[in-house]
Amino acid sequence: MAHTTVIPIPATVCRTFRLKSAFYNDVVQGLRAQQKYLDPKYFYDAEGDLLFQQIMQCPEYYLTECEMEIMVQQSANIAAAFDQHAGSYDIVELGAGDASKSVHLLQQLLNNGTDYTYYPIDISGNVIQLLNNSLPQKLSGLQFHGLQGEYFDMLEAVNQRSSRRKVLLFMGANIGNFTPTAARSFCQQLRSHLQPGDLLLTGFDLKKHPQLILHAYDDSAGITREFNFNLLRRINRELDANFDTTKFEHYPTYDPMTGACKSYLISLCNQQVRIGDDVIINFKENEPLYMEISQKYDPAEIDQLAALGGFKPLAQFHDRRNWFVDCLWQAL
């Protein structure tokens, strides 16, 4: 066996690498903006993954229950629609998480004898490792290959591995993490990575009573608040910053006219936050830090998004209360 010598990396090199990291650059860019923001994709470190799993179990967070109902009760109908419109295909899930909802659909396809490979894509390495450990026990005989990284990069990797038609899953109302304008751009970019005839099953949280929506992002246990604060703690830990979470307050809002549900952290005082050795960010008292959006839709807006994105609507699958819908689209 060859002997490997481990050479310590000088601190200056480590610092240079940190300064060039995408995480560092995105954080500094967002905090230096006139209206401060953080990119929500960075919520998902190990602690963030755990907190989000807890959010999905909160009684106020109805989205999980609604989509789980669809997956449990309508997987046979969804699988039949796949077979009708796609023929031979592979399943690709964007932002797979723990696959607790999609596992019902994957099991239905196995029961049907469908020959497919499941490609879960997630930015979190913790999630991919979880799936590698858990899916063989949950789904006997499943062929799968987990991919960690950005959606479009990993879609290219899937296209290189398999020439079969693709059925994409984009569950959990993740499309709502974009503004309507950004959602349109995302769908157009997604379409550019697909072939005509490929399918997309994507979830939408529907507009409903404003208080129901607002409660979902301001749970009584404070888990959503901690989920937001965890990103500040991650910045402290990984980027050598000094955010004090006691000097911020979690503040969610919902506009029933536009369907925009947004989360902010509000600075409770005039303060300075240091990042690394040479970046100082000034916060004014009551200044908002924009964290994320969860956009809500009505049926007409969903169909318009499909058309503008280069897709044709094929079918819709609703929960019994009509609070949530999984839409099946086909790439034109």
Side-chain angles (χ1 to χ4, degrees), residues 20-254:
K20 292 182 178 179
S21 73
F23 182 30
Y24 177 90
N25 291 336
D26 289 346
V27 165
V28 171
Q29 177 179 318
L31 293 178
R32 282 177 167 169
Q34 184 174 359
Q35 295 182 324
K36 295 181 176 63
Y37 68 91
L38 290 173
D39 192 324
K41 71 182 180 183
Y42 294 116
F43 279 131
Y44 300 98
D45 63 349
E47 181 66 18
D49 291 338
L50 178 62
L51 286 166
F52 189 69
Q53 296 303 315
Q54 295 175 15
I55 288 172
M56 291 194 295
Q57 302 305 315
C58 289
E60 298 95 337
Y61 195 77
Y62 60 83
L63 291 83
T64 302
E65 179 185 352
C66 290
E67 193 170 35
M68 183 66 80
E69 177 195 318
I70 294 170
M71 289 296 107
V72 170
Q73 298 186 8
Q74 301 186 57
S75 280
N77 294 335
I78 296 172
F82 290 174
D83 292 339
Q84 176 185 352
H85 296 287
S88 177
Y89 54 85
D90 286 328
I91 301 288
V92 182
E93 183 165 10
L94 306 180
D98 63 359
S100 58
K101 289 173 289 192
S102 53
V103 70
H104 298 281
L105 179 56
L106 298 175
Q107 183 65 69
Q108 181 67 54
L109 294 171
L110 290 175
N111 294 345
N112 292 354
T114 304
D115 177 23
Y116 71 95
T117 298
Y118 172 55
Y119 294 95
I121 296 172
D122 206 284
I123 195 171
S124 170
N126 300 299
V127 163
I128 297 301
Q129 188 58 51
L130 169 67
L131 295 176
N132 286 336
N133 293 336
S134 64
L135 285 181
Q137 285 73 43
K138 292 180 180 178
L139 298 170
S140 177
L142 176 70
Q143 301 179 68
F144 75 99
H145 182 86
L147 297 166
Q148 178 193 359
E150 301 281 355
Y151 291 158
F152 299 121
D153 293 340
M154 295 303 99
L155 269 178
E156 283 299 310
V158 172
N159 287 331
Q160 292 173 11
R161 292 180 63 93
S162 170
S163 60
R164 289 205 286 191
R165 183 159 286 174
K166 305 298 183 298
V167 175
L168 267 63
L169 309 181
F170 195 42
M171 314 285 280
N174 284 334
I175 192 73
N177 292 336
F178 303 102
T179 65
T181 299
R184 180 170 68 247
S185 176
F186 175 81
C187 289
Q188 291 168 345
Q189 193 172 1
L190 192 61
R191 172 61 189 87
S192 72
H193 287 79
L194 301 175
Q195 298 298 317
D198 286 348
L199 302 182
L200 169 64
L201 182 72
T202 183
F204 291 88
D205 191 17
L206 296 171
K207 292 178 178 177
K208 58 185 70 65
H209 194 286
Q211 200 62 61
L212 280 170
I213 292 174
L214 195 57
H215 280 163
Y217 299 89
D218 193 23
D219 60 278
S220 58
I223 299 172
T224 306
R225 181 184 65 246
E226 286 305 306
F227 182 65
N228 280 264
F229 283 162
N230 181 66
L231 179 47
L232 302 189
R233 292 192 289 265
R234 180 184 181 185
I235 294 170
N236 286 349
R237 184 174 61 254
E238 298 185 21
L239 302 181
D240 188 26
N242 66 342
F243 274 103
D244 182 348
T245 58
T246 67
K247 295 180 179 179
F248 290 87
E249 183 176 277
H250 172 60
Y251 180 70
T253 70
Y254 177 61

Side-chain angles (χ1 to χ4, degrees), residues 280-329:
I280 299 294
I281 304 296
N282 293 301
F283 282 88
K284 298 176 182 178
E285 183 178 6
N286 299 322
E287 183 177 3
L289 171 59
Y290 174 54
M291 301 297 285
E292 65 173 338
I293 186 172
S294 183
Q295 182 70 33
K296 313 307 174 184
Y297 286 85
D298 63 33
E301 291 166 338
I302 293 172
D303 286 346
Q304 181 183 43
L305 180 60
L308 294 173
F311 293 90
K312 177 176 71 173
L314 297 177
Q316 294 186 349
F317 306 91
H318 293 83
D319 70 292
R320 69 185 184 279
R321 293 175 293 192
N322 202 34
W323 286 2
F324 195 96
V325 62
D326 281 308
C327 297
L328 184 63
W329 297 349

